[in-house]
């Protein structure tokens, strides 16, 4: 595990504060943590779908992605959140079978498709896994307001059109890397089932951050090191700053 985490720790500018871990492992925080984690997995898939539709795929391919995501979005926006029916559905009927066509006017379009499609598949699967864990534990799914973390990171994305994709990919790398770091931080404190599950997520989350970072450099004509450093410092500020909301990516909790 340490070999897997070493690049993550080198990439991130700070570790998760112990104060966040102390709150996260409390029994009355675990429900909130799992619900937000569940939402984060779907948001990660939706973000990748947005990037593919906007930058990499033609309209028909974009519509195929929306159809792929439809059962997940119908579930989260439904009134009853019927977990049993959602998890029991025939997933083979919802596989992405369409041939995806890259946009001809963006030379890196084809390069984005494979890693982001793989990411979407894995995030959908993780969403289902967290949902199943919650259901087994009697934790009801609900929509909760997102914390300030991702919005705070995205607020610093450049307004220069040619560099927006680069910045969004860098932000994606930090979100995935922080998720990986927090799974590893939490695992030793959790019950056996949940600890094993979080450890199982480390490899895919680590790959997601690496994919995002590699794509950010690919689409940029200049070296992205300084931009990566810039967002790394912003990310660390959000993680270390006091936060009045507890979320999977929230900062240091306010003292009671």
């Amino acid at each position: 595990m340490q070999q897997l985490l070493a690049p993550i720790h080198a990439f991130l500018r700070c570790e998760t504060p112990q104060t966040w871990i102390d709150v996260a492992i409390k029994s009355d925080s675990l429900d909130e943590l799992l619900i937000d984690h569940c939402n984060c997995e779907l948001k990660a898939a939706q973000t990748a779908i947005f990037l593919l539709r906007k930058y990499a795929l033609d309209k028909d391919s974009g519509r195929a992605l929306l159809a792929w995501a439809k059962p997940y979005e119908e579930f989260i926006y439904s009134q009853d959140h019927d977990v049993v029916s959602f998890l029991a559905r025939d997933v083979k009927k919802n596989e992405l079978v369409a041939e995806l066509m890259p946009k001809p006017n963006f030379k890196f379009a084809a390069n984005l498709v494979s890693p982001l499609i793989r990411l979407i598949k894995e995030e959908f699967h993780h969403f289902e896994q967290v949902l199943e864990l919650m259901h087994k534990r009697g934790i009801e799914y609900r929509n909760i307001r997102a914390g300030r973390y991702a919005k705070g990171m995205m607020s610093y994305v450049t307004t220069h059109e040619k560099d927006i994709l680069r910045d969004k990919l860098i932000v994606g790398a930090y979100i995935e890397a922080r998720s990986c770091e927090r799974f590893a931080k939490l695992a030793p404190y959790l019950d056996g089932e949940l600890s094993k599950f979080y450890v199982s997520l480390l490899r895919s989350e680590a790959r997601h951050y690496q994919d995002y970072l590699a794509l950010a450099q690919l689409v940029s004509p200049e070296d992205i090191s300084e931009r990566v450093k810039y967002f790394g410092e912003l990310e660390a500020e959000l993680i270390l700053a006091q936060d009045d909301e507890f979320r999977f990516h929230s900062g240091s909790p306010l003292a009671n």
Side-chain angles (χ1 to χ4, degrees):
M1 184 193 296
Q2 291 308 313
Q3 185 177 2
L4 181 69
L5 291 171
I8 296 284
H9 292 149
F11 178 63
L12 296 172
R13 302 279 164 167
C14 72
E15 292 187 23
T16 290
Q18 186 64 39
T19 50
W20 183 89
I21 297 169
D22 292 342
V23 171
I25 61 178
K26 290 181 179 178
S27 57
D28 57 353
S29 299
L30 190 57
D31 289 14
E32 200 79 6
L33 182 76
L34 285 171
I35 293 168
D36 192 48
H37 176 192
C38 194
N39 280 297
C40 286
E41 297 291 356
L42 187 56
K43 286 171 187 169
Q46 290 171 320
T47 297
I49 287 172
F50 171 82
L51 292 176
L52 284 173
R53 291 182 66 231
K54 182 171 178 61
Y55 296 102
L57 296 176
D58 67 10
K59 289 185 178 180
D60 286 343
S61 299
R63 283 192 284 267
L65 290 192
L66 293 180
W68 189 24
K70 187 176 180 181
Y72 298 89
E73 295 180 347
E74 285 181 341
F75 170 78
I76 65 170
Y77 294 126
S78 67
Q79 294 290 329
D80 57 357
H81 300 309
D82 187 347
V83 175
V84 174
S85 295
F86 176 76
L87 293 176
R89 77 198 190 286
D90 185 353
V91 294
K92 289 185 178 180
K93 290 183 177 179
N94 187 228
E95 289 180 352
L96 182 65
V97 295
E99 183 180 358
L100 301 178
M101 301 301 295
K103 284 184 176 179
N105 58 344
F106 180 45
K107 68 176 181 178
F108 299 116
N111 300 91
L112 269 65
V113 175
S114 180
L116 292 185
I117 289 295
R118 180 174 61 177
L119 182 148
I120 294 164
K121 287 180 179 178
E122 291 177 346
E123 303 293 16
F124 279 161
H125 181 53
H126 296 164
F127 173 81
E128 293 168 358
Q129 287 180 298
V130 181
L131 196 62
E132 187 171 10
L133 274 170
M134 289 166 52
H135 184 63
K136 285 172 61 177
R137 293 163 183 253
I139 303 171
E140 291 188 10
Y141 176 87
R142 68 179 191 276
N143 297 311
I144 57 175
R145 184 177 63 183
R148 62 185 176 86
Y149 175 81
K151 186 177 180 180
M153 291 287 286
M154 290 299 292
S155 69
Y156 288 95
V157 168
T158 183
T159 57
H160 297 292
E161 185 63 33
K162 71 179 185 70
D163 294 323
I164 290 176
L165 177 58
R166 176 205 64 192
D167 279 8
K168 286 182 176 180
L169 291 167
I170 293 172
V171 169
Y174 274 106
I175 293 172
E176 296 292 339
R178 181 59 64 186
S179 297
C180 188
E181 188 253 5
R182 289 206 160 168
F183 291 144
K185 286 281 192 181
L186 285 169
Y189 298 94
L190 302 174
D191 63 76
E193 180 184 45
L194 196 52
S195 176
K196 184 178 179 181
F197 173 58
Y198 273 13
V199 169
S200 76
L201 297 179
L202 294 180
R203 192 168 299 280
S204 60
E205 299 297 323
R207 188 178 63 252
H208 294 170
Y209 118 78
Q210 291 168 339
D211 285 346
Y212 269 130
L213 203 58
L215 290 173
Q217 183 58 79
L218 179 70
V219 303
S220 176
E222 296 107 22
D223 182 82
I224 63 170
S225 300
E226 286 303 310
R227 200 65 181 164
V228 170
K229 180 181 177 182
Y230 171 75
F231 277 105
E233 291 168 353
L234 292 172
E235 198 270 348
E237 287 177 14
L238 287 165
I239 290 299
L240 296 176
Q242 289 195 316
D243 208 327
D244 59 0
E245 283 187 312
F246 175 72
R247 294 288 188 271
F248 193 84
H249 292 96
S250 57
S252 185
L254 290 172
N256 293 328

